Amino acid sequence: MALPATLRSPARATLLVLVLLAITAVIAGLARHYLLNDLSDTLALMVTGLLVVTVGGLLLVRFVAWPLASRRAELWSETVESQSAIDHDQRFRELFSTIDEQLSNATSETQVITILGEGLASVELADLVELHVIDPLDDTLQLAAASRKIVLPVTVNSPWDAMAASLGQTVVTATTSDPESCRHLSSRVAAAVSAVSVPLTAQGGILGVLHATGPNNDPPTDTAVIVLEAFAARAAMHIALQRSSAEAWREHVDPTTSLPAVADVERLIARNLGDRRGQSVAWVSIDGFTELDATGGVNEARVVSDYAHRWLASLLLGLLPPHTVIGTRSDGEFLLTVSAQQTPLETFVQNLEDVRATVADRQNPHLPALTMSAGVVPARPNETVVELLAHARSGFDHARRAGGNKVIKPVNPVNPVNPV
């Protein structure tokens, strides 16, 4: 235990003792001379001793015992706080150790989500913690687990509605009443709250987002953010491991762009037709895609065609409405569908024109000059998925035959399916 400042130096301590003795001796001498002359030697000695003990004791208490006791109390308080922090850290270490052991034995994504849900209930860092994961088949952000029962209705959103997912970094929100706050988070709460949103990232891609909410204008502490980021990192890693190791999953993902395969988008289009949901469908590709490899490699690990394929995928994700469903093939062609209720045909065509102009105008140092073609059609009543895809493909082929760098749409769409 550290001594008070007055006792840390031997010289100071010696001087203090000498001063106390001198003061005591002076008081005793004065008392004997002025007060104790009429008393016997024995009685005078007793009174003098009592004065020495009393005055000396008071001085010792004030200058020695009291500073030592105060310092002891401070050390005790600091020790309690340190022990609390150690216990807090140890508790989360044990929690993560248990979660890690369970996750290492999981054999499916469903088991991983179940384990993560149980772990969320034990975190106790926020009022509510929600884990949202991007569905591998239709590229939507869906609630996977929560720290407690959810009262609000669960809605399906675009991953890019979540600010943490679109930025790829943790976002701390003081209040969701701010118009600049995360749209996805705001849709999940009935009243204004504070929150921390952590993206689930693995191998450079976004797998989901973790929201933790708390009192309005009282965001989680730095320690809470660190714990939540550790939890999100484990969730992303094990979900990615399960998806990459599942044979069924490989059939649904294009290895170049990590987007859904065209077959999955075709199934979604068929489901929309069956439910009579209005939609627009487009075929899109870079003109002359198959000839790109002849220009040489971008670097040792990536040929030009793969780079162009990923580049166009990033433009489609960034410039098209977030709810657009995008599927791709290894030959560089993309199949797109978008809800007519959320995005009318003319708006969708203009979005594709923006992508086309960006492809044609942007100077990419890793690529030769490129153009893009697209064919866009709306779904019509009683149309089969084969007919709808054939119409979209026909517009795409027409754009290419006309020299490329065009977005072809029907001149007068006939009786499109009414959006519901």
Side-chain angles (χ1 to χ4, degrees), residues 14-15 30 45 79 232 271 372 378:
T14 302
L15 180 62
L30 292 174
L45 183 61
T79 302
R271 188 173 66 195
M372 183 202 86

Side-chain angles (χ1 to χ4, degrees), residues 232-362:
R234 286 166 168 79
M237 179 180 68
H238 286 277
I239 291 173
L241 285 174
Q242 293 299 330
R243 291 187 176 184
S244 63
S245 62
E247 291 297 330
W249 161 251
R250 294 178 184 177
E251 298 176 1
H252 297 282
V253 175
D254 174 70
T256 303
T257 63
S258 297
L259 288 173
V262 163
D264 293 308
V265 180
E266 291 177 355
R267 282 190 281 271
L268 178 61
I269 292 172
R271 188 173 66 195
N272 289 338
L273 288 173
D275 295 338
R276 295 189 59 80
R277 291 193 176 102
Q279 62 183 325
S280 299
V281 175
W283 274 102
V284 178
S285 180
I286 289 175
D287 297 318
F289 179 82
T290 56
E291 289 78 30
L292 286 177
D293 280 340
T295 63
V298 176
N299 55 44
E300 295 180 358
R302 180 183 297 166
V303 295
V304 174
S305 59
D306 285 346
Y307 188 92
H309 199 184
R310 282 190 284 267
W311 182 55
L312 180 55
S314 67
L315 293 180
L316 293 173
L317 288 170
L319 298 178
L320 294 181
H323 49 268
T324 305
V325 179
I326 306 172
T328 186
R329 304 192 310 190
S330 58
D331 61 2
E333 295 182 359
F334 294 85
L335 175 61
L336 286 59
T337 182
V338 65
S339 166
Q341 183 179 21
Q342 296 175 294
T343 303
L345 175 64
E346 291 301 325
T347 302
F348 188 43
V349 171
Q350 184 57 53
N351 295 147
L352 287 170
E353 284 285 0
D354 294 339
V355 178
R356 181 202 59 75
T358 302
V359 172
D361 297 341
R362 181 176 297 180

Side-chain angles (χ1 to χ4, degrees), residues 27 53 99 161 181 211 250 330:
I27 293 173
V53 171
I99 292 176
D161 285 339
S181 64
H211 291 310
R250 294 178 184 177
S330 58

Side-chain angles (χ1 to χ4, degrees), residues 3 55 67 88 110 119 142 149 164 181 230 242 276 288 322 338 342 368 398:
L3 291 171
V55 175
H88 185 271
T110 301
Q142 302 188 22
K149 186 176 180 180
S181 64
Q242 293 299 330
R276 295 189 59 80
V338 65
Q342 296 175 294
H398 177 63

Side-chain angles (χ1 to χ4, degrees), residues 2 15 57 69 88 94 117-118 143 176 225 245 276 298 330 363 368 370:
L15 180 62
H88 185 271
E94 293 174 355
E118 294 172 352
L143 178 67
T176 51
V225 173
S245 62
R276 295 189 59 80
V298 176
S330 58
Q363 299 297 319
L370 298 175

